[in-house]
Amino acid sequence: MRTLETTNISGFVSEFILLGFPYCREIQILLFVVFSLIYLLTLMGNTSIICAVWSSWKLHKPMYIFLANFSFLEICYVNSDVPKLLANLISQAKSISYAGCLLQFYFFFSMCAAECLFLSVMSFDRFLAICRPLHYPTIMTHHLCVRLVIFCWAGGFLWLLTPLTLISQVPFCGPNTTDHFLCDLAPLLALSCAPVSGITLTCGIISSLIIFLTFLYILGTYFCILSTVLQVPLGPGRHKAFSTCASHLAVVSLFYGSVMVMYVSPGTGKFHGMQKLVTLFYALATPFFNPLIYNFRNKDMKEALKKLL
């Protein structure tokens, strides 16, 4: 009856039902409390990084400007899907409108693409600082820093325009229930009432390109960084270089490790329980760990936070 009620006169679906985590009421309330706590701590942690960078003149450097923008991206990232997840956990009606579903898909994965670009730009910044220290001030100017930030934000949102356009043309006229907590690509296309193999292939290529290109670029820059650092004699210089890159590498490992499992081949997800857990990890856990990693590993950041508090 719910499926019949959510179709309009022409027979096309006007809303989707996100099953989320269909456990008993007690477990759903427990999940709501846990996810809410992680969500609030994520907002507080990333906001603290932004405030620390803004308030400390020592952090007005490209490295920390990128980090502040990255933290703001994480705030937008969790706000694109977690509030709806929390609402569905305590609500009987787990619906989302057709337009709302497309917007959630677009904003969530646009910021996912922007995160790939930001991680690449941050690795480029570390490459210049370690491998080209004498040329760093003349290359990584304030003007270039602003241009790279704009490139990351605009590039992420432009990259997802094609998948969004393709999905908006897919007809949904049958079942409207998806076993997920957000509007993901594969579960949405599985509800189509027409063949979508071409769209699945195109979206898979687009998502794979940005994942693999940015990941290979990051690997290339860190290969150059490692080659340079190993030439430095043992001592404070080498330790500082490794310490500077450790936080970024930890975030890269967390993010790409989970994203590659899911979206290199978006049409092949068969184990819905594992699919939801992996998606939940990079949608909620990764933004939660990022401020912890950067705050605990960076001496300047810890000092700025102490002064701020």
Side-chain angles (χ1 to χ4, degrees), residues 209-255:
L209 275 176
I210 194 167
I211 292 171
F212 273 115
L213 289 178
T214 55
F215 183 67
L216 291 175
Y217 178 79
I218 293 170
L219 286 182
T221 55
Y222 272 100
F223 176 79
C224 297
I225 290 172
L226 183 62
S227 301
T228 302
V229 171
L230 291 179
Q231 297 175 9
V232 178
L234 289 173
R238 179 182 287 193
H239 176 74
K240 183 178 180 181
F242 276 122
S243 178
T244 302
C245 299
S247 300
H248 184 251
L249 278 176
V251 173
V252 168
S253 301
L254 284 172
F255 179 73

Side-chain angles (χ1 to χ4, degrees), residues 7-265:
T7 57
N8 60 22
I9 299 175
S10 61
F12 288 96
V13 168
S14 61
E15 67 178 30
F16 295 97
I17 308 300
L18 301 175
L19 290 181
F21 300 93
Y23 303 118
C24 64
R25 189 64 179 170
E26 290 76 14
I27 295 180
Q28 286 190 334
I29 293 175
L30 176 62
L31 290 177
F32 174 82
V33 173
V34 173
F35 292 164
S36 297
L37 181 61
I38 295 175
Y39 173 62
L40 292 175
L41 291 176
T42 300
L43 296 180
M44 292 172 59
N46 285 285
T47 302
S48 68
I49 290 179
I50 297 172
C51 294
V53 173
W54 177 78
S55 62
S56 175
W57 64 269
K58 289 180 62 177
L59 301 184
H60 291 175
K61 303 175 183 178
M63 172 184 173
Y64 297 106
I65 293 174
F66 293 138
L67 179 58
N69 276 272
F70 187 76
S71 296
F72 181 67
L73 174 67
E74 296 289 55
I75 293 174
C76 299
Y77 191 47
V78 295
N79 278 317
S80 65
D81 66 303
V82 176
K84 187 62 179 177
L85 166 63
L86 296 176
N88 286 346
L89 282 173
I90 59 173
S91 173
Q92 295 295 329
K94 304 180 184 299
S95 62
I96 183 171
S97 67
Y98 174 81
C101 188
L102 292 185
L103 286 175
Q104 186 189 63
F105 167 82
Y106 177 66
F107 281 105
F108 180 81
F109 290 104
S110 291
M111 283 178 280
C112 184
E115 186 157 345
C116 293
L117 296 175
F118 265 110
L119 290 173
S120 301
V121 167
M122 292 165 78
S123 69
F124 172 67
D125 177 72
R126 292 301 84 208
F127 165 79
L128 288 179
I130 295 173
C131 300
R132 303 288 188 272
L134 298 179
H135 300 285
Y136 181 82
T138 57
I139 297 176
M140 187 55 71
T141 60
H142 178 74
H143 181 64
L144 178 60
C145 181
V146 172
R147 290 174 63 182
L148 288 174
V149 168
I150 294 174
F151 165 75
C152 293
W153 281 103
F157 282 90
L158 291 175
W159 195 271
L160 265 292
L161 282 179
T162 299
L164 177 68
T165 303
L166 293 175
I167 294 176
S168 65
Q169 297 174 357
V170 173
F172 297 100
C173 51
N176 67 332
T177 301
T178 174
D179 187 16
H180 215 313
F181 63 87
L182 57 79
C183 294
D184 204 347
L185 179 62
L188 276 182
L189 295 181
L191 298 177
S192 170
C193 53
V196 290
S197 56
I199 294 177
T200 302
L201 178 62
T202 302
C203 294
I205 292 174
I206 292 174
S207 61
S208 299
L209 275 176
I210 194 167
I211 292 171
F212 273 115
L213 289 178
T214 55
F215 183 67
L216 291 175
Y217 178 79
I218 293 170
L219 286 182
T221 55
Y222 272 100
F223 176 79
C224 297
I225 290 172
L226 183 62
S227 301
T228 302
V229 171
L230 291 179
Q231 297 175 9
V232 178
L234 289 173
R238 179 182 287 193
H239 176 74
K240 183 178 180 181
F242 276 122
S243 178
T244 302
C245 299
S247 300
H248 184 251
L249 278 176
V251 173
V252 168
S253 301
L254 284 172
F255 179 73
Y256 280 96
S258 55
V259 168
M260 281 189 172
V261 173
M262 293 300 304
Y263 297 108
V264 172
S265 299

